[in-house]
Amino acid sequence: MARRLAVLVLVLVLLGGAPWWTLLGSGADWPFPVVLAGTVVFAAWLVSFPFLMIAGHGSRRNDRAARVADTSLGVVWVLFTWSVLGGLVNLVLGGLDVGGTDRARTVAAAVAAVSAGLLAWGHREAMRVPRVKRLDVHLPRLGGGLDGTRVVVLADTHYGPIDRADWSARVAAAVNALDPDVVVHAGDIADGTPAQRREQSAPLGTVRARLAKVYVTGNHEYGGEAQGWLDRMADLGWEPLHNRHVVVERGGDALVLAGVDDVTAESSGLAGHRANLLGALAGADPDRPVLLVAHQPKYVPQAAAAGVDLQISGHTHGGQIWPFNFLVRIDQPVVHGLSRHGERTRLYTSRGTGFWGPPFRVFAPSEITVLTLRSGDAPAGG
């Protein structure tokens, strides 16, 4: 516990210290009242942030505390990133003897302006209905009767402390406008229990699909009644793929839609919850193509070993706030997009439909994805 506390304090000091130095120190020579006010703000954040996070995301789940903590974390992360870059620019310019005595102040003002602009733009990107991303996915084993099947992907809606019931309704309407055959929700539906997020999740009950609407748990469900979310989605008319599969047919051809619990499920201690691909595929015809929904991209080695044709995942948010995508890449094989794994398996990783925590998306846009399934091999270079 002492070691974890020390690491937390070090991280917070670094996150707050770099912006303080670039904006207020480093020779910027601001008037003393400006430096004092800025120092008080950074110190207040440093002291209050852990308590706000515990109140907002601990057992109490105080949404107001969570909103303040999450928003401040996003602001500080953006300030940290651009303060580090600004500090490097200041050093380079100093080495070249460019900018004179006003150099540090100019860099500080530029960092503040860029950060403010990115935060305003990033908040708008996070709160908007996601843009639609379309691409074809060729599956050699897919029968001709299913060629052209439209699979619409949602992931990481993260209904949470900010009430986004209206946003949820507009997302559902956008999905219906795409006239999908299959709709997939790849997990991390909410932060909180089904009762807490009832109004925000309700519009998912209006989503329509010709063949199936399927859902799997993400890691965040295991902090907020995972079984309750499986039951809630069933009540809303979705097929919860709790280590199971369903078969959809069109034009005389069939496709297996399988799903597994998140890889963190087993450590949650919830009875009967773990990622079990063998169980999910039990009884499925091995000659039929398989579309697997697994929340985290790093489950793809198991999918490839089992001969899955397409895995759909979320979890990464595409990094959500640049340059966090580089840290995500350490944990996951793919941050976003379509990739190939082994001879047969394709993986599509969504950037996600919503956001987690800080209400910002910077250089990592949200998406509603339309995957059009195509039979046969992809064209050369595709």
Side-chain angles (χ1 to χ4, degrees), residues 111-249:
V111 167
V114 169
S115 298
L118 287 175
L119 287 166
W121 172 66
H123 181 68
R124 181 177 181 277
E125 284 293 300
M127 301 300 289
R128 63 169 294 153
V129 173
R131 298 172 182 87
V132 176
K133 180 177 180 180
R134 304 171 187 265
L135 70 159
D136 290 352
V137 180
H138 289 260
L139 304 178
R141 297 204 303 159
L142 188 74
L146 285 162
D147 185 83
T149 297
R150 289 188 299 278
V151 179
V152 174
V153 180
L154 302 176
D156 304 288
T157 45
H158 284 285
Y159 303 127
I162 297 175
D163 185 357
R164 288 180 290 144
D166 179 65
W167 175 87
S168 181
R170 287 183 288 134
V171 167
V175 170
N176 289 336
L178 296 170
D179 195 22
D181 298 300
V182 175
V183 182
V184 168
H185 194 303
D188 275 7
I189 188 171
D191 295 290
T193 66
Q196 287 176 306
R197 311 306 177 204
R198 186 174 185 82
E199 291 187 6
Q200 294 185 59
S201 62
L204 291 177
T206 68
V207 170
R208 299 186 300 271
R210 285 192 175 87
L211 302 177
K213 301 183 296 182
V214 298
Y215 159 74
V216 299
T217 54
N219 55 300
H220 279 251
E221 278 85 331
Y222 289 95
E225 298 182 9
Q227 186 58 53
W229 278 112
L230 290 167
D231 296 340
R232 170 65 170 158
M233 290 298 276
D235 290 342
L236 291 172
W238 292 65
E239 287 278 358
L241 298 183
H242 176 35
N243 297 320
R244 56 185 287 266
H245 71 270
V246 296
V247 178
V248 295
E249 298 182 1

